[in-house]
Amino acid sequence: MSYEFTIIVPVYNEEDNLERVEKELSEYMAKSAKKTKILFVNDGSKDKSQQLIESICKRNTDFSYILFEENRGLSAAIKAGFDYTDTALVGYIDSDLQTTPEDFDLLLAEIGEFDLVTGVRADRKDSFVKNMSSTIANSIRRAFTSDGMDDTGCPLKVIKTDFAKRIPMFKGLHRFLPAMILLQNGKVKQVPVRHFPRIAGTAKFGLWNRLLGPLMDCFAYLWMKKKYINYRVAKQG
């Protein structure tokens, strides 16, 4: 049976989480209705993450990895995952596991008529400052993009791979994935998913890059929307 679904796991200095990632993803794959494989994208980690990733991949034939020469950021890691995916569906989950792989099934159940299905973190277990800054950033992004999404920062998504590969990624664009699918005349949907406190490791985003960064990216998105090339082939011979 060939693989149907690839789960991208971006990693940056997550050595304390990786064994739990292996356990939870293995348990999910054992009961998933779709034949699934895992792709770690190591974004130039400086701790023991790569050593652990290679050990995990040796133990599990459904796990593989790519390693960046240097840290390039979350959007680059997600783009690389899209580039190296060869299944019809692709998704991603953060290696901090504040969302659970089990909830991929909620998204996969809806992907048939949609081209991207994203989670919305219900009852978020983050600090007040983190929750408030995300709420403000999402409000600003919605005003610019009209994508109708409440939580594009949710690290649990499923996308049809042919749409994912056509996204012209830039730094910070992981927050604009639904909007970029809409630019392709695709259909998007959001589904509530569970959220959990971070158990190990440290958050990679602070107040500065949750508010100022997304605001600047909104102007980049408006430029891209104006210049975006979209076409459909009517006939080929």
Side-chain angles (χ1 to χ4, degrees), residues 18-19 22-23 26 51-63:
L18 288 172
E19 289 185 355
E22 176 188 15
K23 178 178 181 294
S26 296
Q51 178 182 337
L52 290 167
I53 287 170
E54 292 188 26
S55 296
I56 291 169
C57 292
K58 287 180 181 178
R59 292 193 293 267
N60 303 275
T61 57
D62 296 326
F63 287 67

Side-chain angles (χ1 to χ4, degrees), residues 112-126:
E113 64 176 294
F114 294 94
D115 304 298
L116 175 147
V117 182
T118 182
V120 178
R121 291 167 287 189
D123 189 22
R124 286 186 63 173
K125 301 299 192 297
D126 289 324

Side-chain angles (χ1 to χ4, degrees), residues 194-206:
R194 291 170 287 175
H195 191 244
F196 304 90
R198 176 183 268 272
I199 294 176
T202 57
K204 307 303 185 293
F205 292 91

Side-chain angles (χ1 to χ4, degrees), residues 96 98-99 119-138 150-155 193-198 205 210:
D96 60 18
Q98 286 193 257
T99 52
V120 178
R121 291 167 287 189
D123 189 22
R124 286 186 63 173
K125 301 299 192 297
D126 289 324
S127 68
F128 173 80
V129 171
K130 186 174 181 180
N131 286 338
M132 183 56 64
S133 61
S134 292
T135 298
I136 295 170
N138 275 302
D150 296 318
D151 184 18
T152 60
C154 178
V193 297
R194 291 170 287 175
H195 191 244
F196 304 90
R198 176 183 268 272
F205 292 91
R210 281 198 186 93

